[in-house]
Amino acid sequence: MGAHAARSARSAGGPRAAHAEARDLREAAHAAQVRELTAAGVLDDPAWRAAFEAVPRHLFVPYFFTGRGAGHERLWGEDPDPAHRARWLRGVYTDAPLPTRLRDGELVSSSSQPSLMAKMLEALDVRDGDDVLEIGTGTGYTAALLSHRLGEEHVTTIDLDEEITESARAHLALLGYRPAVVTGDGARGCPSRAPFDRILVTCALPLVPYAWLGQCRPGARILAPLSTGLIALTVRDADFAEGRFLHTPAYFVPLRGATAAPTEPGAASYGLPYELVENERFQFMLVLTAGVLHPREALDLWRGEGRPGRERFGVTVSAEGQWSWLDDPQGPYVWPLGE
């Protein structure tokens, strides 16, 4: 082979070799994350472990934003700079939430932390044949995991933003998944696809939209971020649901639409001790009782009851209203939600 032919062969093989190397790096990073999640004990269910193995996160996060001083830097998987591509790949397979959409500098959508999603999916307690509604489509990553576990025909996901749902459909299609991706107000549910056996919420709530209860089968489970925790409600009928919080902390982008979260005052402004302002369990109670208990009242009660964690709190949703409570829904410590 002459020198010109050799150069041509190397030139032709170069892009293919680079593509294969990039593919191998992504596959290795994906496999490593599944191993890490398994070792952390959040993928004990073989069915969910198989779903995480089948659904690579990088296909759903082609880019994300990272804070850099007063602004944001966009990291992109197709960046011509190999150092930037490497940072993108490390970020995608780090066990952390990733901002994926900003509007006027405000975060409107993100890819949730994989270990938290694994915990939530296991806590959802799905059974074969269950119909699931996801509130907050995001990148489509969770819808893909649900589609692998249950079959796409059993999965509905809804988001308020058409750009988000269109992008999620494209991401899902890369793996051949075509669940129902609906553009609409998740606070109103999705009556055209009801009834549901499970509702999984990936945005923070100030209270539970009543529309969801009427779109659930009796005995359905709703798992949703509320305050800084995850409430697991069992639905009795269209007028009643009740349940306790998981011990797991959870921080999500607020729900947008008919049931939007109010802005809470900072606890520090009430002169509370810094170490308690920073205490995650106390912060949970402070947000849960905001507008009902003065922060100092909340602090006295929290201390007096042995500094309770999230799992001692619960929520009742009925036709008469919504309440959070400590230990017992009929006990002395009951507070209205959404004040």
Side-chain angles (χ1 to χ4, degrees):
M1 180 185 293
H4 177 74
R7 284 195 300 272
S8 298
R10 285 197 298 272
S11 176
R16 287 198 298 269
H19 179 77
E21 182 181 5
R23 182 197 61 219
D24 291 346
L25 287 171
R26 293 175 187 186
E27 290 178 354
H30 175 206
Q33 183 172 76
V34 174
R35 288 195 301 271
E36 289 168 7
L37 295 175
T38 303
V42 297
L43 285 180
D44 290 336
D45 184 335
W48 284 122
R49 186 162 60 250
F52 274 82
E53 288 171 344
V55 179
R57 194 185 189 196
H58 68 262
L59 291 182
F60 294 84
V61 190
Y63 64 87
F64 65 89
F65 296 93
T66 181
R68 180 60 65 88
H72 294 88
E73 181 185 13
R74 183 177 181 265
L75 292 177
W76 179 41
E78 300 300 325
D79 195 300
D81 186 331
H84 288 179
R85 291 198 304 273
R87 287 179 58 208
W88 165 81
L89 185 60
R90 285 196 302 272
V92 165
Y93 284 108
T94 297
D95 185 31
L98 299 174
T100 55
R101 286 188 182 269
L102 300 172
R103 188 167 295 145
D104 299 324
E106 180 184 355
L107 176 63
V108 296
S109 188
S110 65
S111 175
S112 301
Q113 182 179 7
S115 62
L116 179 57
M117 289 316 307
K119 292 175 185 177
M120 291 178 70
L121 289 168
E122 294 223 10
L124 197 61
D125 193 27
V126 297
R127 300 288 184 269
D128 291 347
D130 278 352
D131 293 309
V132 177
L133 171 63
E134 180 194 19
I135 308 291
T137 303
T139 65
Y141 180 55
T142 306
L145 294 167
L146 287 164
S147 295
H148 186 277
R149 171 67 180 81
L150 295 169
E152 61 188 31
E153 67 276 15
H154 293 291
V155 179
T156 302
T157 182
I158 185 168
D159 203 287
L160 189 64
D161 193 320
E162 187 172 5
E163 289 184 4
I164 289 175
T165 53
E166 285 184 357
S167 178
R169 278 192 202 96
H171 297 158
L172 286 157
L174 291 173
L175 289 177
Y177 296 130
R178 289 174 177 79
V181 181
V182 179
T183 304
D185 186 353
R188 304 184 192 279
C190 188
S192 65
R193 294 276 296 176
F196 300 103
D197 300 287
R198 300 287 187 269
I199 295 181
L200 178 67
V201 187
T202 57
C203 43
L205 306 177
L207 52 90
V208 179
Y210 284 101
W212 296 352
L213 275 61
Q215 294 172 33
C216 284
R217 294 187 174 99
R221 187 173 180 86
I222 297 174
L223 186 66
L226 196 152
S227 179
T228 64
L230 293 168
I231 187 66
L233 297 170
T234 300
V235 178
R236 186 187 70 191
D237 52 40
D239 293 325
F240 188 86
E242 190 169 80
R244 289 183 177 272
F245 284 89
L246 307 184
H247 74 277
T248 306
Y251 299 86
F252 283 86
V253 175
L255 175 70
R256 296 179 295 145
T259 309
T263 301
E264 302 294 351
S269 65
Y270 293 98
L272 298 181
Y274 177 78
E275 65 273 15
L276 288 176
V277 172
E278 293 297 302
N279 185 292
E280 195 175 64
R281 291 192 300 172
F282 177 60
Q283 274 290 332
F284 166 78
M285 181 176 176
L286 195 63
V287 176
L288 191 65
T289 61
V292 182
L293 290 183
H294 188 281
R296 289 197 170 277
E297 289 182 282
L299 177 58
D300 290 343
L301 176 58
W302 186 71
R303 282 172 164 168
E305 291 299 314
R307 302 180 177 232
R310 291 174 176 81
E311 63 276 8
R312 285 180 58 187
F313 292 85
V315 167
T316 301
V317 181
S318 78
E320 288 74 41
Q322 301 190 23
W323 301 271
S324 61
W325 37 267
L326 174 64
D327 291 332
D328 183 350
Q330 306 302 321
Y333 303 122
V334 180
W335 310 279
L337 277 180
E339 291 294 302

